[in-house]
Amino acid sequence: MRKKIVAGNWKMNKSMDEAMILASEVVHMVKDEVNSDVQVIIAPPALYLTTLQKHTEPVANMGIAAQNCSNKASGAYTGEISASMLKSIGVTHVIIGHSERRQYFNESNEQLAEKVNIVLENGMTPIFCCGESLEQRQGEGFFEFVASQLTEGIFHLSSEDFGKVVIAYEPIWAIGTGLTASSAQAQEMHAYLRGHLASKYGQAIADETSILYGGSCNEKNAEEIFSQPDVDGGLIGGASLKSREFTNIAKSF
Ligand code: PEP
């Protein structure tokens, strides 16, 4: 059985006080309302991870993610945060290769592959993002493009390590735009990607890999999207900034 996962990417939002309120509301609602077989992850700004980890840690089906980490282990990299630092404060997951990091910070698949390695070496779970632009979606070859992001970012892993990775398919044209992929479009891509995973790692491992959908997912459309056979949950941006809505999304399976 694949894990069902809902992860909230808060991006660069919220003051410390606001973040504490949001996290404690989410924690209480998850404890009281969300099925224990659904894993709920919050990804606040890095500055708040230490504090908010103490909120999520006692809840068995909750995790806490960093939105990024360095591809270097340690040393003279001003402003960077290493995977081992994240591990040392109890971070469980790291989002790798979000389209905003690829676009605004020019992160290449090669760097992302290094980040995936270092996250795994430190015993955390990478949530590896992939997805095509609007231009690509309107042209040809976008399935192959998204598959190539996986090939270049995670297909160097051994089967054992690959089994620890979570994938998030996030069409860039649907991120923060209010445009959601239809459930059929999400299912089509997820099934295609699962086939791609199977071609490298075999059907059994592909069938165990959670593939999340991300892109304007909200409490109204989550149920329909999550009902698709190859969609195993969501990576949620805007809607993760409201505790009620985010929890309702986690209750949508
Ligand atoms: C995201 O950035 O990962 C995301 C899915 O954003 P939104 O839900 O706001 O589209």
Side-chain angles (χ1 to χ4, degrees), residues 7 9 11 95 98-100 129 170-171 174-179 213-218 235-240:
N9 176 10
K11 309 192 184 186
I95 299 172
H98 190 280
S99 61
E100 289 151 17
C129 302
E170 301 205 297
I175 295 182
T177 58
L179 282 178
Y213 168 78
S216 298
C217 193
N218 58 42
L235 179 54
I236 317 297
S240 71

Side-chain angles (χ1 to χ4, degrees), residues 101-137:
R101 303 261 358 140
R102 292 176 185 264
Q103 187 180 349
Y104 304 135
F105 303 96
N106 298 318
E107 293 193 355
S108 65
N109 283 323
E110 198 184 344
Q111 286 171 317
L112 299 178
E114 290 170 357
K115 292 187 182 199
V116 166
N117 290 345
I118 212 157
V119 167
L120 287 167
E121 279 161 23
N122 282 281
M124 297 177 290
T125 302
I127 301 176
F128 186 82
C129 302
C130 57
E132 80 286 1
S133 67
L134 183 58
E135 253 182 318
Q136 288 169 317
R137 170 62 68 165

